[in-house]
């Protein structure tokens, strides 16, 4: 906490000492030194989802220094034991649209292995009580830093935009329920409802200096499903006296793969992965149950609903075919919290942003990127596409590494190491340009 206070002081000095440069690039240049220090501090002090207390307080403090009206601890989780560290910062600047821009705050239970001088050495206990390393392996520290930079530049350029700027520091993105917690707490009742919502996410395959855009469905919905196959256990040498849940589970795993290949249109992407399967304790015992954990990814809501129903049908049908009595039919549970909707980028907004980014970064630095089956909870801020929203990719790979063709560590990897300077610079340039266009005078 002491380090964060010192950083706040350095920031104040940096703001006070600046010679009031007026264009975006000069403003970024004059802030970059302190922003890189901020990035390294945040990187070295990551906090897990639900525990983003210091990161949130730091962001809130930085935005308050700039004159934003900041509210902390916005959000309500279903689990009352968790505190939601959501930050809402509002700057009203005359009549005009309300634009929401979001950064996430949380890090991952990953032990960092980059060897960087500012690598995280943080270890903590996760919610299951196991000791884990903690790392900003998804680059949310890049996002927080870029957001602070964007806020500083936009504060300096207040005469070039009008309306209400709404900065969101969102907790618990990695467990995909932070956005919902903020909406559940009345985000759009207590604060203005935005006319546009924008976010950026760093990308481990795109060169720093470039951005990527995906019109329409960009990221998939994610649904976590638990399937319990129940049987009648017994001696491994006496299968005729049992209903073997392991054999039934094996059939279910394979039959589930036909849901995508045989029941789904090839034009509607979907994935069913059985990520965990556990049953039994010993070679010669047929167990009573097998437990499986599945993730389902899709874009369209109707596809997701149909697959969910089909998983239950396949599990129950397979068990019935094996002669399992009805009172021991499989139990299929959809998680309430580990689900998220698809991220849909408003095509009109994407087109507008593509034009703005091409002007700011050069047309060669704006890529159209295909959709991906990974998931995010940013889509919730759009209220089921009622509010035009878009998330764009921010290239984070050192251009020199890109040229050597070496395999790049992905997001969530213990080796993920974005190139901070060009990534943060481009993040601020792109986000500032987007806001200045949507809120121009
Ligand atoms: Zn992320
Ligand atoms: Zn992530």
């Amino acid at each position: 906490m002491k380090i964060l206070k010192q950083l706040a002081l350095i920031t104040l000095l940096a703001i006070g000492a600046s010679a009031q440069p007026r264009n975006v690039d000069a403003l970024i240049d004059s802030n970059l030194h302190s922003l890189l220090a901020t990035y390294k501090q945040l990187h070295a002090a990551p906090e897990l989802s639900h525990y983003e207390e210091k990161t949130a307080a730091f962001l809130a403090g930085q935005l308050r220094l700039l004159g934003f009206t900041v509210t902390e601890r916005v959000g309500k989780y279903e689990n009352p034991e968790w505190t939601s560290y959501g930050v809402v910062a509002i700057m009203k600047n005359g009549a005009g649209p309300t634009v929401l821009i979001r950064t996430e705050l949380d890090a991952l239970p990953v032990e960092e292995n980059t060897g960087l001088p500012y690598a995280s050495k943080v270890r903590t206990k996760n919610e299951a009580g196991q000791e884990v390393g903690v790392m900003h392996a998804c680059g949310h520290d890049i996002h927080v830093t870029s957001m602070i930079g964007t806020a500083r530049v936009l504060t300096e350029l207040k005469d070039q935009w009008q309306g209400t700027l709404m900065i969101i520091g969102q907790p618990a993105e990695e467990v995909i329920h932070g956005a919902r917690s903020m909406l559940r707490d009345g985000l759009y009742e207590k604060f203005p409802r935005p006319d546009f919502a924008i976010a950026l996410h760093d990308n481990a395959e795109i060169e720093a200096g470039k951005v990527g855009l995906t019109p329409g469905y960009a990221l998939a919905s994610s649904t976590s499903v638990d399937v319990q196959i129940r049987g009648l256990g017994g001696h491994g040498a006496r299968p005729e006296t049992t209903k073997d849940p392991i054999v039934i589970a094996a059939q279910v795993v394979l039959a589930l793969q036909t849901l995508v290949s045989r029941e789904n249109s090839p034009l509607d992407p979907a994935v069913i992965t059985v990520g965990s399967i556990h049953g039994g304790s010993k070679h010669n015992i047929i167990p009573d149950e097998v437990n499986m954990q599945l993730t389902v990814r899709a874009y369209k809501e109707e596809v997701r609903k149909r697959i969910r129903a089909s998983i239950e049908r396949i599990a129950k049908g397979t068990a019935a075919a094996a002669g399992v009595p009805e009172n021991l039919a499989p139990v299929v549970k959809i998680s309430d919290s580990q689900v998220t909707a698809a991220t849909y980028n408003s095509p009109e907004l994407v087109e507008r942003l593509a034009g703005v980014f091409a002007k700011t970064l050069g047309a060669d630095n704006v890529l159209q990127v295909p959709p991906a089956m990974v998931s995010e909870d940013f889509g919730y801020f759009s209220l089921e596409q009622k509010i035009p929203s878009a998330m764009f990719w921010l290239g984070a790979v050192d251009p020199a590494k890109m040229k050597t063709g070496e395999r790049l560590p992905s997001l969530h990897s213990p080796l993920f190491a974005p190139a901070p300077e060009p990534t943060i610079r481009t993040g601020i340039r792109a986000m500032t340009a987007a806001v200045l266009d949507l809120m121009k005078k």
Side-chain angles (χ1 to χ4, degrees), residues 411-427:
L411 294 176
H412 292 202
S413 154
L415 296 171
F416 175 62
E421 199 266 3
T423 305
I424 291 167
R425 180 188 288 277
T426 309

Side-chain angles (χ1 to χ4, degrees), residues 102 104 106 138-140 143 173-174 201-202 376 411-412:
R102 181 208 72 165
E104 318 87 321
D106 54 337
C138 205
H140 296 175
H143 305 173
E173 186 282 322
E174 294 293 357
H201 202 294
D202 60 354
E376 242 288 346
L411 294 176
H412 292 202

Side-chain angles (χ1 to χ4, degrees), residues 218-270:
L219 303 171
S221 68
S222 170
T223 310
S224 300
V225 185
D226 291 304
V227 179
Q228 184 184 50
I229 305 286
R230 298 181 292 177
L232 296 165
H235 200 292
R238 300 277 321 273
E240 73 280 15
T241 66
T242 72
K243 297 291 174 203
D244 185 347
I246 289 189
V247 173
I248 298 167
Q251 289 173 332
V252 169
V253 170
L254 293 177
L256 289 176
Q257 297 311 312
T258 64
L259 293 182
V260 174
S261 68
R262 300 292 84 185
E263 293 187 18
N264 191 59
S265 161
L267 302 178
D268 287 333

Side-chain angles (χ1 to χ4, degrees), residues 73-378:
R73 304 205 174 189
V74 179
K76 240 189 217 127
Y77 293 119
E78 275 156 3
N79 181 344
E81 280 172 31
W82 295 330
T83 304
S84 181
Y85 292 106
V87 176
V88 181
I90 301 279
M91 184 173 281
K92 289 198 170 134
N93 188 21
T98 297
V99 175
L100 178 157
I101 52 179
R102 181 208 72 165
T103 174
E104 318 87 321
L105 303 170
D106 54 337
L108 286 158
V110 171
E111 189 159 334
E112 179 155 1
N113 199 13
T114 59
L116 289 166
Y118 50 91
S120 162
K121 294 182 183 68
V122 175
R123 299 189 67 79
T124 188
K125 287 231 165 88
N126 66 11
E127 267 146 15
Q130 299 151 325
E131 193 174 300
V132 290
V134 189
M135 175 186 176
H136 268 298
C138 205
H140 296 175
D141 46 355
I142 290 273
H143 305 173
V144 174
T145 309
S146 301
M147 185 61 86
I148 292 168
T150 301
R152 286 189 198 165
V153 173
L154 287 170
T155 307
E156 291 277 345
L157 299 180
K158 257 180 119 171
D159 57 342
Q160 293 182 26
W161 57 275
Q162 60 186 9
T164 301
L165 181 61
M166 181 179 191
I167 293 180
I168 300 283
Q170 185 209 305
E173 186 282 322
E174 294 293 357
V175 288
I176 50 180
H177 53 229
R180 266 173 301 164
S181 94
M182 294 186 80
L183 288 161
R184 189 183 294 122
D185 197 17
L187 180 65
Y188 292 163
E189 289 89 54
K190 293 179 184 165
F191 305 96
R193 177 179 155 147
D195 300 294
F196 300 97
I198 304 180
L200 57 75
H201 202 294
D202 60 354
N203 186 298
E205 285 155 42
I206 299 176
E207 191 175 322
K210 296 181 191 288
V211 293
L213 282 159
T214 310
Y217 284 113
L219 303 171
S221 68
S222 170
T223 310
S224 300
V225 185
D226 291 304
V227 179
Q228 184 184 50
I229 305 286
R230 298 181 292 177
L232 296 165
H235 200 292
R238 300 277 321 273
E240 73 280 15
T241 66
T242 72
K243 297 291 174 203
D244 185 347
I246 289 189
V247 173
I248 298 167
Q251 289 173 332
V252 169
V253 170
L254 293 177
L256 289 176
Q257 297 311 312
T258 64
L259 293 182
V260 174
S261 68
R262 300 292 84 185
E263 293 187 18
N264 191 59
S265 161
L267 302 178
D268 287 333
V271 177
I272 303 172
T273 291
V274 179
S276 156
I277 178 163
H278 290 278
S281 59
K282 197 174 183 299
H283 306 68
N284 60 355
I285 299 173
I286 292 170
D288 283 322
E289 62 180 58
V290 172
N291 291 291
M292 302 195 281
Q293 294 180 312
L294 284 59
T295 188
V296 175
R297 305 296 168 107
Y299 293 120
K300 291 184 185 161
E301 202 48 36
E302 73 242 36
V303 171
R304 167 186 178 163
K305 280 194 186 130
R306 192 188 59 237
I307 290 177
R308 273 183 356 195
S310 299
I311 289 171
E312 185 146 7
R313 191 195 75 230
I314 295 256
K316 290 192 168 156
T318 308
V324 171
E326 213 166 306
N327 64 339
L328 290 176
V331 181
V332 178
K333 268 198 209 137
I334 313 287
S335 164
D336 295 331
S337 56
Q338 298 259 344
V339 290
T340 187
T343 304
Y344 181 85
N345 286 338
S346 150
E348 297 78 31
L349 183 56
V350 165
E351 203 182 318
R352 185 167 172 179
L353 292 179
V356 172
F357 293 163
K359 241 200 279 169
T360 310
L361 307 172
D364 290 351
N365 291 323
V366 184
L367 315 173
Q368 177 151 349
V369 176
M373 298 309 282
V374 292
S375 304
E376 242 288 346
D377 64 358
F378 174 66

